[in-house]
């Protein structure tokens, strides 16, 4: 006689069914987008497996009007790299291989990726063979309302101005303390300054002033614009020497061993 599934099994089955339904709907939507050439607004596809969200961006975000702060004179933080200072390079600048990471600070799936493989990303830079280039986005503000992505990105610019290591530490703190994507917790400058207190030596007078005044808001807008022009449509995305890395297997983030193997294979280091 078959036994009824336990509550835990029923939850797993229900979550899997919701994932499959979300994937089916997105496949149908993708087919419609191929048939109809229109300007579409950015969307967020919710894959409800423990609150996981996949963020999808579109070109319409390029046309979003800049805020008053973003219209101020452009100040590029020290230690920025890439075209117009829109890339943040972590690791040895002359490393022969490049891992490009595309993220939005309000993206919950980015948080899942960082929690699972953030330390692995660091370790992969230690022998000087791989450098990391961060390409950051702020399109979830348009999707969800608020200004958390842009405000966090501007604050990250202030951290980068203090040093690449300060940027990376603050980057990690933001993901570790990411609010629910439907909330705009990162839109509060005072909250960001509180979180910055977790990074030793970051809260200099210059940093606090830059965050409070949103000195790097125009730079953040430029960084987001560069993301929009990258051809990447979802966050998180990771590429190694131009080859895209698989970040998820089913409903779970790939473990560090699998992530490392993919990166080394793509870089030809195996």
């Amino acid at each position: 006689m078959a036994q009824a599934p336990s509550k835990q099994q029923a939850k797993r089955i229900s979550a899997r069914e919701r994932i499959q339904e979300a994937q089916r709907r997105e496949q149908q939507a993708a087919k419609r987008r191929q048939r109809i050439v229109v300007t579409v607004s950015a969307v967020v596809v919710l894959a409800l497996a423990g609150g996981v969200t996949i963020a999808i961006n579109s070109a319409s975000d390029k046309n979003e009007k800049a805020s008053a702060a973003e219209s101020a004179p452009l100040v590029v933080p020290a230690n920025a790299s890439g075209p117009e200072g829109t890339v943040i390079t972590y690791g040895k600048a002359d490393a022969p291989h490049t891992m490009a990471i595309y993220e939005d600070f309000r993206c919950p799936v980015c948080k899942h990726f960082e929690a699972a493989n953030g330390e692995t990303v660091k370790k992969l830079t230690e022998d000087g063979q791989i450098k990391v280039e961060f390409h950051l986005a702020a399109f979830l503000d348009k999707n969800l309302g608020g200004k958390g992505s842009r405000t966090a990105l501007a604050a990250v610019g202030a951290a980068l101005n203090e040093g690449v290591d300060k940027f990376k530490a603050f980057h990690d703190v933001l993901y570790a303390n990411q609010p629910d994507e439907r909330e705009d917790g990162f839109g509060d400058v005072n909250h960001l300054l509180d979180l910055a207190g977790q990074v030793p030596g970051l809260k200099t007078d210059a940093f606090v002033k830059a965050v409070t005044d949103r000195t790097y808001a125009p730079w953040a807008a430029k960084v987001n614009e560069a993301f929009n022009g990258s051809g990447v449509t979802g966050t998180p995305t990771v590429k190694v020497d131009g080859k895209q890395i698989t970040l998820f297997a089913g409903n779970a983030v790939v473990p560090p061993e699998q992530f490392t193997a993919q990166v080394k294979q793509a870089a030809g280091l195996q």
Side-chain angles (χ1 to χ4, degrees):
M1 180 178 178
Q3 295 181 339
S6 66
K7 289 183 179 180
Q8 187 175 7
Q9 290 172 325
K11 287 181 180 179
R12 285 199 297 267
I13 293 169
S14 178
R16 184 168 61 249
E17 289 174 344
R18 289 197 295 270
I19 286 282
Q20 291 171 343
E21 176 62 16
Q23 291 173 336
R24 184 185 66 79
R25 289 178 180 176
E26 175 55 24
Q27 288 170 355
Q28 291 176 340
K31 291 179 180 178
R32 288 196 297 270
R33 288 194 295 269
Q34 290 172 354
R35 291 194 302 265
I36 306 173
V37 180
V38 293
T39 301
V40 295
S41 62
V43 299
V44 174
V45 179
L46 298 179
L48 298 177
V52 173
T53 306
I54 300 173
I56 306 296
N57 182 37
S58 80
S60 65
D61 189 53
K62 295 178 184 179
N63 300 320
E64 185 177 7
K65 292 182 179 179
S67 67
E70 291 167 351
S71 300
L74 174 65
V75 180
V76 177
N79 307 302
S81 59
E84 298 185 277
T86 58
V87 178
I88 301 172
T89 301
Y90 178 80
K92 289 184 64 176
D94 60 351
H97 303 284
T98 302
M99 181 192 306
I101 298 179
Y102 300 81
E103 296 179 318
D104 185 313
F105 284 110
R106 286 182 77 180
C107 167
V109 185
C110 296
K111 177 180 179 178
H112 285 282
F113 166 70
E114 288 291 341
N117 285 307
E119 282 301 312
T120 304
V121 168
K122 265 192 215 178
K123 289 177 182 176
L124 284 165
T125 68
E126 290 176 355
D127 64 1
Q129 291 295 304
I130 297 174
K131 64 179 175 290
V132 177
E133 291 184 348
F134 287 94
H135 303 263
L136 300 173
F139 66 86
L140 278 173
D141 285 349
K142 184 172 183 181
N143 293 1
L144 303 169
K147 57 182 181 179
S149 291
R150 290 171 291 166
T151 306
L153 183 48
V156 160
L160 179 63
N161 195 61
E162 298 290 323
V164 175
D165 289 342
K166 293 291 192 293
F167 149 75
K168 185 61 170 66
F170 189 42
H171 164 280
D172 295 351
V173 166
L174 289 178
Y175 277 115
N177 294 275
Q178 185 190 76
D180 186 289
E181 76 271 23
R182 293 163 294 186
E183 300 174 1
D184 197 29
F186 285 164
D188 182 352
V189 167
N190 290 324
H191 179 53
L192 292 173
L193 289 172
D194 287 342
L195 292 176
Q198 298 183 30
V199 180
L202 176 58
K203 286 183 71 174
T204 64
D205 290 344
F207 172 82
V208 172
K209 185 177 187 330
V211 173
T212 303
D213 294 348
R214 297 199 70 204
T215 300
Y216 297 105
W219 172 80
K222 185 71 69 174
V223 171
N224 183 53
E225 182 181 333
F227 174 92
N228 288 334
S230 69
V232 172
T233 56
T235 57
T237 292
V238 175
K239 296 181 180 181
V240 175
D241 292 348
K243 306 175 189 75
Q244 189 158 333
I245 303 300
T246 298
L247 303 183
F248 299 91
N251 300 335
V253 183
V254 297
E257 300 80 13
Q258 186 177 340
F259 178 75
T260 299
Q262 288 189 80
V263 170
K264 289 187 174 181
Q265 182 177 13
L269 297 175
Q270 286 186 328

